[in-house]
Amino acid sequence: MPVPADIRPADVGDAAAVADVYRPWVTGSVASFETVPPDADEMARRMTAQPRLPWFVACRDGAVVGYAYGGQHRTRAAYRWSVDCSVYLAAGERGAGTGRALYERLLPELRDLGHVTAFAGIALPNPASVGLHTALGFTPVGVYRAAGFKAGRWHDVGWWQLPLREPPAEPAEPAAWSPGAPARPPEGLR
Ligand SMILES: CC(C)(COP(=O)(O)OP(=O)(O)OC[C@H]1O[C@@H](n2cnc3c(N)ncnc32)[C@H](O)[C@@H]1OP(=O)(O)O)[C@@H](O)C(=O)NCCC(=O)NCCS
């Protein structure tokens, strides 16, 4: 696979294709700690959950072959400038720079919406995911030991984090994401 796939914002019309990409990582790996693959309706619900956060898809020859998105790190109010990042590719698409290309769209978008810190939880071992996050500048925070039980055994989860910008003394509210519009930096960042 010589070149990265093309990246574009994702919308609910992509939900079924995104669910297709995700399904094998749920049913056949511990990269996801889910055990029941979400269907298209559930994926559409996640894509439009409030506060709305960015989703991008990677496309090759018109077909969705990967996606990355931001999610709330925790739901309590003081966490609202902190986001979790996730990325999944179709198996045959790995190693061509598409994971990097997705994150190179996602991370600036999260910053421009006003978010301050990106986090990633990675079930260990996962050298490709650790390699991707390290290549994008994430640094290790620590490891949750025996954090999940799947496929007959316990799994550790390593956490990584990336500063998206200098933490402001008085942060503006993060803006909601819209797939049709470029992110508008909040007041004070323009
Ligand atoms: C993790 C994943 C998204 C990485 O995407 P990818 O397109 O294969 O990665 P890229 O080709 O863009 O590589 C990005 C960087 O990661 C590094 N990397 C990729 N695969 C690697 C591997 N197997 N071992 C070590 N480093 C690796 C590359 O060296 C690259 O660094 P560079 O850009 O500075 O050269 C992809 O492998 C995947 O979908 N894995 C299964 C699902 C998954 O584990 N998702 C993450 C859940 S936490």
Side-chain angles (χ1 to χ4, degrees), residues 7 77 126 146 168-169 174:
I7 312 301
N126 187 339

Side-chain angles (χ1 to χ4, degrees), residues 21-188:
V21 169
Y22 184 47
R23 188 175 306 107
W25 301 114
V26 173
T27 57
S29 86
V30 298
S32 166
F33 274 8
E34 290 198 80
T35 54
V36 178
D39 63 13
D41 286 348
E42 169 59 14
M43 200 57 92
R45 191 197 63 73
R46 295 180 187 188
M47 294 171 83
T48 52
Q50 300 298 318
R52 194 158 179 181
L53 286 158
W55 289 60
F56 289 93
V57 285
C59 300
R60 196 180 296 282
D61 302 326
V64 171
V65 296
Y67 68 99
Y69 65 99
Q72 279 183 289
H73 178 62
R74 310 271 287 185
T75 55
R76 294 190 178 174
Y79 281 114
R80 63 194 183 279
W81 294 272
S82 292
V83 285
D84 284 358
C85 298
S86 296
V87 53
Y88 292 90
L89 305 185
E93 290 287 331
R94 302 175 70 185
T98 298
R100 171 184 273 279
L102 280 162
Y103 263 26
E104 285 179 345
R105 288 290 296 277
L106 177 67
L107 296 169
E109 192 86 343
L110 290 167
R111 179 199 62 215
D112 290 350
L113 290 167
H115 297 288
V116 172
T117 310
F119 294 93
I122 305 173
L124 300 174
N126 187 339
S129 186
V130 170
L132 169 67
H133 287 89
T134 302
L136 271 293
F138 284 75
T139 54
V141 178
V143 177
Y144 290 3
R145 306 281 172 196
F149 185 87
K150 184 175 176 183
R153 63 184 184 87
W154 290 95
H155 303 277
D156 296 345
V157 174
W159 281 90
W160 272 255
Q161 76 175 77
L162 177 75
L164 296 169
R165 60 194 174 98
E166 202 54 42
E170 295 289 342
E173 288 300 316
W177 186 68
S178 162
R184 249 173 86 78
E187 293 295 338

